[in-house]
Amino acid sequence: IIDVSISVYDVLRAITSAELYDTKFAIVGFSNITDCAKLLCDLLIKDIDILPVTTVEKAREVLTSLKEKGYDLVVCDMISSTIARSIGLNSILVLSGRESILSALNKAKQLASSIYKIHTEKEIFQRIARKENTSLYVYDKNKALWYSHKGFDDFEELIEKFIKQYLSTFMKAKDKTIE
């Protein structure tokens, strides 16, 4: 799963849109939005109420309070927007913009590249083990078997028993290769 995050630009676009209306507004949402909003308001010297929420219940409570105080508009995330509409508040949704989407796509490309590299390395291990008719056991740092190739049918049971008995000792050694 790749997160398409909210950037400062996304929050700035939503604030700029809200400022086009001649009405009092506040920013309500989870920390991914309110942290960006606080930074922007500090930098741009804007006096906008920013109200972070951590649960749906808290969002409903905050939005109801804003409505009672005479607010007509909120800049918010999807959860808060849904609640705002249900209680009669207008909302401007903070949407992920081009920069955020491109960043997420780049992360996805990097992840795919890493997965491809690992898959290729595993294929190389498998080819070498098959070609050499060598027993190969690879364990991860948690002592879980990551890969195995059994090359000596007559000795495999003995080799596996030996490895299980001494695996903890092997994991402590600097050079963790036994030939």
Side-chain angles (χ1 to χ4, degrees):
I1 296 175
I2 303 294
D3 178 38
V4 180
S5 59
I6 299 293
S7 73
V8 176
Y9 297 114
D10 302 329
V11 176
L12 181 59
R13 274 190 288 274
I15 291 172
T16 303
S17 294
E19 289 175 332
L20 295 175
Y21 295 90
D22 189 27
T23 187
K24 190 174 179 182
F25 72 93
I27 300 170
V28 178
F30 290 88
S31 63
N32 62 326
I33 290 176
T34 58
D35 290 350
C36 286
K38 173 123 180 61
L39 176 70
L40 280 170
C41 289
D42 288 347
L43 288 172
L44 301 174
I45 311 168
K46 291 187 179 284
D47 185 26
I48 301 171
D49 289 329
I50 301 169
L51 304 158
V53 295
T54 54
T55 64
V56 173
E57 294 79 21
K58 183 68 175 173
R60 182 174 301 284
E61 178 185 314
V62 166
L63 291 164
T64 301
S65 174
L66 288 172
K67 176 145 175 97
E68 289 168 358
K69 291 177 183 175
Y71 283 82
D72 295 318
L73 179 65
V74 289
V75 171
C76 56
D77 55 32
M78 186 60 173
I79 292 170
S80 299
S81 178
T82 303
I83 297 168
R85 280 182 285 157
S86 76
I87 63 171
L89 274 174
N90 294 313
S91 65
I92 294 179
L93 189 59
V94 178
L95 299 171
S96 297
R98 183 178 182 354
E99 304 84 6
S100 299
I101 293 169
L102 289 175
S103 175
L105 288 173
N106 283 332
K107 286 178 190 173
K109 283 172 41 180
Q110 289 171 346
L111 180 61
S113 177
S114 295
I115 290 169
Y116 177 77
K117 181 180 178 194
I118 290 169
H119 179 73
T120 302
E121 288 173 356
K122 184 178 176 186
E123 287 292 318
I124 291 169
F125 276 135
Q126 289 174 334
R127 283 189 208 133
I128 291 170
R130 276 187 241 126
K131 184 177 180 183
E132 296 295 322
N133 198 26
T134 301
S135 293
L136 177 63
Y137 296 85
V138 179
Y139 290 82
D140 67 15
K141 65 182 177 184
N142 297 320
K143 301 178 188 172
L145 184 62
W146 180 72
Y147 174 79
S148 70
H149 177 267
K150 299 175 181 181
F152 300 103
D153 293 334
D154 297 339
F155 299 105
E156 287 309 314
E157 189 175 313
L158 182 62
I159 291 169
E160 287 176 12
K161 185 177 178 182
F162 179 80
I163 289 172
K164 285 180 185 175
Q165 184 175 354
Y166 294 102
L167 184 60
S168 291
T169 305
F170 295 152
M171 297 300 278
K172 292 176 189 172
K174 287 186 183 220
D175 178 8
K176 298 176 176 132
T177 303
I178 298 178
E179 295 182 25

